[in-house]
Amino acid sequence: MGSYILGRLAALVPVLFGLSVIVFLIMALIPGDPATAILGPYATPENVARLRQDLGLDHSLPVRYATWLGNVLTGDLGRSSSLNRPVLDEVTERFAATLVLAGAALVLASLLGLLAGILSAVRQFGLADKLVTLAVLVGISMPTFWLGLLLILVFSVRWRLLPVSGMVSIYGGGDLPDLLWHLALPAATLAIVAAGVIARLTRSAMLEVLRQDFVRTARAKGLTERRVVFGHALRAAMVTVIPVIGIQAGFVLGGAVYIETVFQWPGIGRMLVNAIATRDVLLVQGGVLVVAASYVLFNLLADILQRLLDPRIAP
Amino acid sequence: MKGGLALLRRVTRNRLAALGLALLTLIVLAALAAPVLPLADPDAIDPARRLLPPFSAGAWLGTDTLGRDVLARLVWGTRLSLGVGVAASLLAALVGSAIGLVAGYAGGRTDGVLMRGIDVLMAFPYLLLALAIVAALGPGLLNALYAVVVANIPFFARNVRGATVGLRHREFVDAARLSGMGEARILLGEVLPNVLPVIVITASTTVGWMILETAGLSFLGLGSQPPQADLGSMLSEGRKALITAPHVAAVPGLVVFLIVMSMNLIGDGLRDALDPRLRSGIPGAPGAATRVARAAEDDTGNAAPDSGALLQVTGLRTAFDTVDGPVDAVKGVSLRVAPGECLGIIGESGSGKSVTALSIARLVASPPGVVRGGAVRFGGDDLLALPVGALQRLRGGRIAYVFQDPLTTLHPLMPVGAQVAEALRAHRPVPRAEAERRVVELFAAVKLPDPASLAHAHPHELSGGQRQRVGIAMALANDPELIIADEPTTALDVTVQAEILDLLDDLRRRRRLALVFISHDFGVIARLCDRVAVMFQGEIVEEGDTRSVLTRPRHDYTRRLLAAVPVLGRSRRPEQPPPRSSSGAGWAVEVRSLVKTYAARRSLFGRSLFGRSRPAVTALKSVSLRVAFGETLGIVGESGSGKSTLARSLVGLSRPTGGTVLLDGRPLAELAVGGPRALGRTVQYVFQDPLSSLNPRKTVRRTLSAPLRFLAGVPSGEREDRLAELVRSVDLDPAILDRYPHELSGGQAQRVAIARALAAGAKIIVLDEAVSALDVSVRAQVLRLLAALKERHGLTYLFISHDLAVVEAVADRVMVMAAGDIVEEGPSDRLFAAPEHPYTRRLLAAVPSLPS
């Protein structure tokens, strides 16, 4: 197991390297001059030239990449031009808020998805299966940015049950109940699509496994149906479901961009959208890099979990 | 086109998919007709008519914050969103599939580089990559489209690569190569058609997302820019008036939802229609026990119970529900098993023998299986009337099963000891330590080596024979009175089979177990069973004392079956002229010290990054042989003996590490340099499984045309005559030319494969287990055909098989292989009558024989 983790970590190095190159290149190849963009159309040529020098824009691409990577590795992501504060501070603060939202959504989606998928497979073609299938269809077809607006309209504007936006109350907020109260609607909205995908996959994985020979063996030795379904079938099905949960983590992180915009959640998605609008290059770069790198690490965890479940995967 | 219509029909048979198709058609038609519809100007601003509610005069869906007509904007916005989404989908499918096809087919370094790139793209959370790209290119609808395309390329590349890798090693690809097709032609003509469903399914699942994501980017203000408006930017504008005029935001969102949902419905329909496993009707997940639906007037269950019998089956009828109605698999079978007795049930595939065995404890998968009549009496109970709870107490308790393939019948993720302990604890409360001790005892009883440590191993770490011993230990766990064994040795090598049969026989006698033993092999039954029942088409046609049934069969079918079984030491072949070495023409095949080793895999951290490290494996240790023209050389050996590697090396499908192969006096390497043509005209290959060596998406005509066109160079005008002639030469009707492989029987498919090998006039044919997958009676026919063809065309055969009796019947000379080496070689008569090498003797002794 130890060597498996070491091996996987080593395999991450090229992926992280490629990722950093892409992030760097995307920002380096932006058409137009960042210095002009920062200083605005009325800047003097001398000021632009000085800023270009400060930003290191007068060097060649590989040199700029090396300098940038060196800075990144020492924790220096530069300074945000629009917020005038270190990118790292802003990104960590915002990413924490996103993690709360996305984490809650992923847990919710996994629980709902697994339960619905198992129920639907065991009662295939029954009423429960039909209801789940319908719910899944609606869930995976749902534009969440639209659903979020509708839910706000119903729960917050009409019924006044939940807050319209934000992460904590401005006056006297900030404790856990207050956070959960604010979290309920955005997390539920964000979880819907992922729950649908996980439910659908769990269903098909369970159906596939339930038809296999070893399930017949489990029945032939006299096990109860509950033990057959949960002890034997689900255990084998989880091997296919876990990587999907890992992939869904990516979709939830992405979907958080919409939800944060709709619910005014102070997360990294909304930060990125604003940064793109204000052409705050370093902030976009830092944000994308941090989110992508943590997603890679999360998928490593999913891989390790899968390996723990399935001894057949070669170390 | 015809295929497209048929597919459309299959998709619309699914009612939901038809609904989705209708909905999408409606939306697409409206979007296409936008310029000619009597709509208001979507961009005309009218501050006086701001935020009119729906159903206002002149504005059915009301107006937005600037007084623009929502309906008009909706139709134009849909047009834009659909256009962008579909364009993105096509682009992503094209680029992604091309990457996947090339990576999967080329393999090696190309694959590595392309897929590492894809991995890097996959390392970004989906929308984040799109955001980063838009950040670089700047907001705008076209840029949003590119972003969505790039973010979706990995899905196509990965799925298509996966499918391609699975196909690259399929035998029909090898066969196409031997038919003289070039690599590009194989990729586009053989692989792509089989990958196409994967591309269609991926496209149908992603096109919805892509529309959703472009709308989403516009919603964020990064896609379409004013005054151009797609559904996403309409939604974003409507959001500003969410509380006062919710319709402005609700309507475009609803349309996005409807478009995506209709696409998902169609996608599901397509997937169901394209997935071959679902074509014959969707079977449900099997339940705890086979459904019993006995007719009210069925009184077989009331037949007088036979007090002396342990198991008494009367008038059992089991059927499978299919789309075309129920199909009977077992048609009124009656059996009786006394305590301690062994009853064999023998039959060919489809005879209903396994279904009979599984029906006893109601283990037939249900749906689709249904027991429609009869009774199964065991110890006074009718098992067919028992509630599931009572049945579960019997299963594994008093009635235990041993199944065929021990790899698929054991849970892959549980240690084998735990699986056996579970069988114990399902029936009585046993403390953990006690259960563990008992498992070790059981493992020792089935003669597993080092039982205590083996109990912690997983099934994939054991050999086939060891796995089957675990299966038997599991069956013995609760001291059952009856064991039902369904082809328990069919997947095993002959020497391992002999050991398992000895074990079962020994256990049965010592523990006074009754045994129902299902097999297709007369020899196995003769070795083990007191009585035998012969099944044919769902019925027992003959039953009786094993010896008398085998020596004096009464039923015509039994007689035919027995006549078709080649029996070791009983083949009477006409006197063969000695192999001509021959008429100065040299040898048909000459192999000089052929070596094949698989290199060791080393690793970085003690183990490899990419898989288990393993030592070098030698598959062939310097093998030399010669085959004269017109001779049949039999090559026998068990799994892992190297016989298949040798066979594949002869036609260049496996690249030897050292040594030379001469075909018709010319080195293989030289023939291969001359392109697939020279090689394919000299030597041909017939694979074991005809269904995997024929491309499932090509008709027999197209499969057989390939060698005629690429190897023999027959002009297209004459091809039709040659095809008919070719098909007749293997005793098939030319009408078969228009069939697809799945429409052929196993025997017919193998005849087609033989016809393909003969098409270009090659005189050397390698037959790699070519009759092993066929039923006994079909096998006899195909063997007769092979003999006749050899006579007619003067062919040279290399006949590779694990079945010694078959080899004895066809070969002039025999080579015995073990562990990559030839251990003995000689004329067929001499080798089988007086084997010299101890391994050959052991092999021959292990073959179950019939009483003479």
Side-chain angles (χ1 to χ4, degrees):
Chain A
M1 198 65 215
S3 62
Y4 173 77
I5 296 175
L6 271 179
R8 291 295 322 207
L9 279 173
L12 280 189
V13 173
V15 171
L16 288 172
F17 173 74
L19 200 127
S20 72
V21 170
I22 289 185
V23 171
F24 172 77
L25 279 184
I26 282 175
M27 296 306 133
L29 297 179
I30 288 182
D33 183 36
T36 320
I38 291 168
L39 295 175
Y42 307 112
T44 60
E46 295 81 50
N47 282 342
V48 171
R50 202 164 57 227
L51 186 63
R52 282 183 61 86
Q53 208 172 359
D54 289 351
L55 292 174
L57 292 175
D58 46 353
H59 293 291
S60 70
L61 265 185
V63 173
R64 276 160 64 195
Y65 172 72
T67 319
W68 175 77
L69 189 64
N71 290 341
V72 167
L73 291 177
T74 52
D76 178 10
L77 294 178
R79 244 184 130 70
S80 155
S81 56
S82 60
L83 303 168
N84 197 22
R85 69 181 295 209
V87 166
L88 188 64
D89 295 358
E90 177 73 6
V91 166
T92 27
E93 218 174 280
R94 296 297 202 105
F95 193 43
T98 296
L99 279 183
V100 170
L101 174 64
L106 191 64
V107 170
L108 195 64
S110 308
L111 286 179
L112 273 179
L114 279 172
L115 278 178
I118 295 168
L119 183 72
S120 162
V122 175
R123 302 252 176 279
Q124 197 192 7
F125 303 134
L127 181 65
D129 184 28
K130 289 194 175 116
L131 287 178
V132 168
T133 309
L134 185 71
V136 164
L137 178 70
V138 171
I140 59 173
S141 310
M142 190 61 78
T144 47
F145 40 93
W146 177 63
L147 180 69
L149 291 178
L150 295 187
L151 291 179
I152 291 178
L153 214 53
V154 174
F155 286 91
S156 311
V157 177
R158 193 137 307 162
W159 295 347
R160 300 184 178 280
L161 286 175
L162 293 162
V164 176
S165 65
M167 185 167 167
V168 288
S169 302
I170 297 169
Y171 300 107
D175 53 352
L176 190 63
D178 183 52
L179 177 68
L180 290 178
W181 188 54
H182 279 82
L183 186 62
L185 216 45
T189 316
L190 184 52
I192 284 205
V193 179
V197 176
I198 293 171
R200 168 179 272 222
L201 212 104
T202 306
R203 176 178 186 270
S204 63
M206 283 294 285
L207 285 178
E208 183 81 38
V209 169
L210 280 170
R211 284 188 201 117
Q212 293 199 354
D213 287 349
F214 64 79
V215 170
R216 186 183 59 195
T217 309
R219 292 203 171 107
K221 59 184 169 183
L223 300 184
T224 58
E225 203 51 21
R226 175 204 293 260
R227 184 97 187 96
V228 171
V229 170
F230 289 94
H232 284 236
L234 181 61
R235 187 165 173 174
M238 281 312 278
V239 173
T240 32
V241 174
I242 283 178
V244 171
I245 294 182
I247 291 169
Q248 283 308 306
F251 282 84
V252 167
L253 272 177
V257 176
Y258 300 134
I259 301 301
E260 288 170 7
T261 306
V262 170
F263 288 91
Q264 304 285 309
W265 190 268
I268 202 158
R270 200 151 68 90
M271 181 204 86
L272 282 173
V273 174
N274 290 336
I276 292 171
T278 55
R279 301 211 58 187
D280 192 339
V281 176
L282 292 178
L283 196 55
V284 175
Q285 216 170 29
V288 171
L289 191 69
V290 167
V291 178
S294 28
Y295 175 53
V296 169
L297 291 179
F298 180 82
N299 267 317
L300 173 69
L301 284 183
D303 282 355
I304 291 172
L305 191 60
Q306 194 191 11
R307 166 86 171 85
L308 280 176
L309 273 178
D310 189 352
R312 289 170 303 175
I313 296 174
Chain B
M1 201 55 232
K2 208 176 110 205
L5 277 178
L7 181 64
L8 187 69
R9 254 200 304 280
R10 268 210 308 274
V11 170
T12 48
R13 196 183 294 158
N14 177 335
R15 261 182 301 164
L16 283 173
L19 183 76
L21 198 63
L23 189 62
L24 188 67
T25 311
L26 215 65
I27 297 173
V28 169
L29 281 181
L32 286 177
V36 296
L37 288 177
L39 293 168
D41 179 356
D43 297 326
I45 297 172
D46 185 354
R49 289 165 57 84
R50 288 180 64 235
L51 296 178
L52 288 181
F55 309 115
S56 306
W60 286 2
L61 288 178
T63 55
D64 69 0
T65 43
L66 296 177
R68 293 172 294 193
D69 183 48
V70 170
L71 180 65
R73 290 179 69 72
L74 191 69
V75 175
W76 283 96
T78 303
R79 187 181 160 94
L80 193 59
S81 282
L82 268 178
V84 171
V86 171
S89 193
L90 289 178
L91 258 176
L94 201 68
V95 179
S97 306
I99 294 176
L101 263 178
V102 171
Y105 191 70
R109 187 160 297 171
T110 316
D111 183 28
V113 170
L114 286 174
M115 291 326 281
R116 286 301 80 72
I118 294 295
D119 279 351
V120 171
L121 287 186
M122 291 285 278
F124 287 92
Y126 181 66
L127 191 65
L128 201 72
L129 182 59
L131 273 187
I133 293 169
V134 172
L137 300 177
L141 193 56
L142 202 58
N143 293 344
L145 184 149
Y146 294 143
V148 170
V149 168
V150 173
N152 275 286
I153 283 176
F155 295 102
F156 284 94
R158 283 203 152 187
N159 289 353
V160 171
R161 176 186 174 271
T164 310
V165 167
L167 289 166
R168 186 180 58 187
H169 298 295
R170 285 279 289 280
E171 289 172 347
F172 69 79
V173 172
D174 287 338
R177 210 164 275 147
L178 287 171
S179 294
M181 291 172 72
E183 295 300 319
R185 202 181 284 277
I186 291 176
L187 184 59
L188 296 178
E190 302 281 330
V191 177
L192 184 60
N194 283 290
V195 172
L196 215 52
V198 176
I199 299 177
V200 172
I201 287 171
T202 312
S204 72
T205 41
T206 51
V207 64
W209 295 349
M210 292 199 221
I211 289 177
L212 205 59
E213 299 309 337
T214 33
L217 288 174
S218 293
F219 172 77
L220 296 173
L222 304 174
S224 72
Q225 302 295 313
Q228 185 191 45
D230 71 350
L231 294 170
S233 53
M234 284 180 69
L235 188 51
S236 164
E237 285 163 19
R239 190 178 155 215
K240 293 168 197 150
L242 183 65
I243 296 173
T244 47
H247 69 277
V248 184
V251 172
L254 185 66
V255 174
V256 174
F257 172 65
L258 289 179
I259 292 175
V260 177
M261 190 175 72
S262 60
M263 283 178 166
N264 283 333
L265 284 173
I266 298 168
D268 289 354
L270 261 178
R271 190 169 32 225
D272 288 354
L274 288 174
D275 192 336
R277 280 175 308 174
L278 298 177
R279 266 197 206 157
S280 50
I282 306 161
T290 313
R291 193 159 65 86
V292 178
R294 285 185 285 196
E297 66 272 20
D298 182 7
D299 57 355
T300 36
N302 304 328
D306 177 345
S307 56
L310 175 68
L311 173 75
Q312 190 189 5
V313 177
T314 29
L316 178 73
R317 291 195 299 126
T318 306
F320 290 103
D321 286 330
T322 69
V323 275
D324 309 318
V327 173
D328 286 324
V330 177
K331 305 166 187 165
V333 160
S334 299
L335 294 169
R336 182 186 178 282
V337 182
E341 184 191 28
C342 175
L343 171 71
I345 302 180
I346 194 161
E348 296 184 281
S349 52
S351 64
K353 58 188 191 303
S354 285
V355 180
T356 303
L358 291 173
S359 296
I360 293 171
R362 285 163 63 193
L363 283 170
V364 178
S366 173
V370 194
V371 177
R372 294 164 64 84
V376 177
R377 297 206 159 272
F378 180 81
D381 292 317
D382 180 4
L383 303 190
L384 299 183
L386 230 46
V388 172
L391 195 62
Q392 281 166 347
R393 280 192 292 281
L394 275 178
R395 289 175 179 172
R398 296 173 63 195
I399 303 177
Y401 276 84
V402 179
F403 296 107
Q404 176 172 351
D405 182 353
L407 184 59
T408 60
T409 52
L410 293 174
H411 197 292
L413 310 179
M414 279 167 94
V416 289
Q419 299 191 45
V420 176
E422 199 183 22
L424 275 170
R425 295 166 64 138
H427 293 276
R428 53 203 155 89
V430 186
R432 189 171 294 269
E434 162 87 22
E436 276 172 22
R437 201 178 45 74
R438 183 86 179 100
V439 167
V440 173
E441 274 174 28
L442 283 165
F443 278 11
V446 296
K447 306 197 176 77
L448 275 167
D450 194 5
S453 66
L454 210 79
H456 298 286
H458 286 86
H460 69 278
E461 295 165 313
L462 305 184
S463 71
Q466 287 174 333
R467 282 194 286 263
Q468 198 54 293
R469 284 172 200 272
V470 171
I472 294 170
M474 191 187 290
L476 292 174
N478 297 297
D479 282 319
E481 293 155 62
L482 171 66
I483 287 187
I484 298 169
D486 185 6
E487 303 250 14
T489 57
T490 307
L492 305 175
D493 271 329
V494 61
T495 49
V496 182
Q497 164 172 292
E499 288 166 21
I500 296 283
L501 292 178
D502 285 344
L503 173 68
L504 276 173
D505 198 40
D506 178 52
L507 288 170
R508 172 173 93 83
R509 289 179 200 287
R510 272 197 289 133
R511 300 188 180 214
R512 289 204 34 80
L513 273 165
L515 187 61
V516 175
F517 195 96
I518 320 295
S519 182
H520 68 281
D521 187 330
F522 276 107
V524 168
I525 299 254
R527 182 135 170 180
L528 214 56
C529 294
D530 314 311
R531 279 190 308 125
V532 63
V534 182
M535 279 193 79
F536 178 59
Q537 293 185 347
E539 288 174 66
I540 292 183
V541 293
E542 177 163 3
E543 193 197 333
D545 168 63
T546 308
R547 197 175 183 83
S548 56
V549 169
L550 292 184
T551 50
R552 290 184 302 280
R554 278 165 310 168
H555 195 277
D556 187 43
Y557 173 73
T558 318
R559 250 177 261 145
R560 269 189 290 138
L561 202 58
L562 275 166
V565 181
V567 179
L568 207 54
R570 249 198 255 160
S571 316
R572 258 172 272 117
R573 289 176 303 111
E575 271 306 303
Q576 296 279 340
R580 298 149 282 179
S581 66
S582 98
S583 57
W587 300 95
V589 180
E590 188 175 2
V591 173
R592 290 187 199 140
S593 29
L594 201 66
V595 179
K596 173 77 183 180
T597 49
Y598 294 97
R601 256 198 305 233
R602 290 277 174 66
S603 59
L604 216 57
F605 299 99
R607 289 191 180 159
S608 161
L609 287 182
F610 306 106
R612 221 176 278 264
S613 55
R614 60 154 198 234
V617 177
T618 307
L620 290 177
K621 302 174 187 160
S622 189
V623 168
S624 300
L625 63 90
R626 283 170 175 175
V627 189
F629 286 100
E631 190 187 19
T632 296
L633 174 69
I635 302 176
V636 297
E638 298 187 285
S639 50
S641 62
K643 61 185 191 305
S644 278
T645 309
L646 174 62
R648 295 174 63 82
S649 306
L650 295 178
V651 292
L653 290 175
S654 166
R655 231 160 270 221
T657 321
T660 40
V661 174
L662 297 166
L663 297 168
D664 199 1
R666 295 168 67 193
L668 177 68
E670 187 187 297
L671 284 168
V673 168
R677 272 176 194 222
L679 183 64
R681 273 188 293 219
T682 312
V683 65
Q684 280 291 340
Y685 202 90
V686 179
F687 296 87
Q688 171 167 2
D689 182 0
L691 285 180
S692 72
S693 76
L694 298 176
N695 188 337
R697 295 190 183 271
K698 285 172 94 172
T699 56
V700 172
R701 181 190 309 280
R702 289 190 56 203
T703 295
L704 293 182
S705 294
L708 289 178
R709 181 172 161 206
F710 300 112
L711 292 176
V714 177
S716 55
E718 298 166 27
R719 222 174 278 155
E720 199 52 34
D721 291 342
R722 288 289 294 273
L723 282 169
E725 188 189 321
L726 193 57
V727 170
R728 278 199 208 96
S729 75
V730 291
D731 301 342
L732 290 173
D733 188 279
I736 212 164
L737 285 169
D738 292 311
R739 301 236 192 111
Y740 283 92
H742 68 267
E743 297 168 317
L744 305 177
S745 72
Q748 287 173 328
Q750 197 60 304
R751 284 167 197 265
V752 170
I754 292 169
R756 171 174 57 193
L758 296 176
K763 296 289 183 217
I764 307 167
I765 313 284
V766 180
L767 300 151
D768 185 3
E769 300 273 9
V771 297
S772 304
L774 305 175
D775 268 326
V776 178
S777 48
V778 181
R779 180 163 69 193
Q781 292 165 9
V782 172
L783 285 174
R784 272 199 298 278
L785 171 69
L786 285 171
L789 289 170
K790 181 181 166 179
E791 190 71 20
R792 201 182 315 154
H793 301 290
L795 303 174
T796 303
Y797 286 155
L798 277 93
F799 192 97
I800 289 100
S801 179
H802 69 283
D803 190 329
L804 296 156
V806 170
V807 170
E808 191 196 18
V810 301
D812 304 312
R813 207 151 49 88
V814 178
M815 260 173 48
V816 182
M817 289 190 71
D821 229 342
I822 300 174
V823 296
E824 186 167 0
E825 187 190 343
S828 189
D829 306 343
R830 201 276 300 152
L831 191 125
F832 284 101
E836 281 163 9
H837 196 279
Y839 176 77
T840 315
R841 266 185 238 142
R842 206 143 44 86
L843 206 58
L844 285 171
V847 177
S849 56
L850 293 180
S852 39

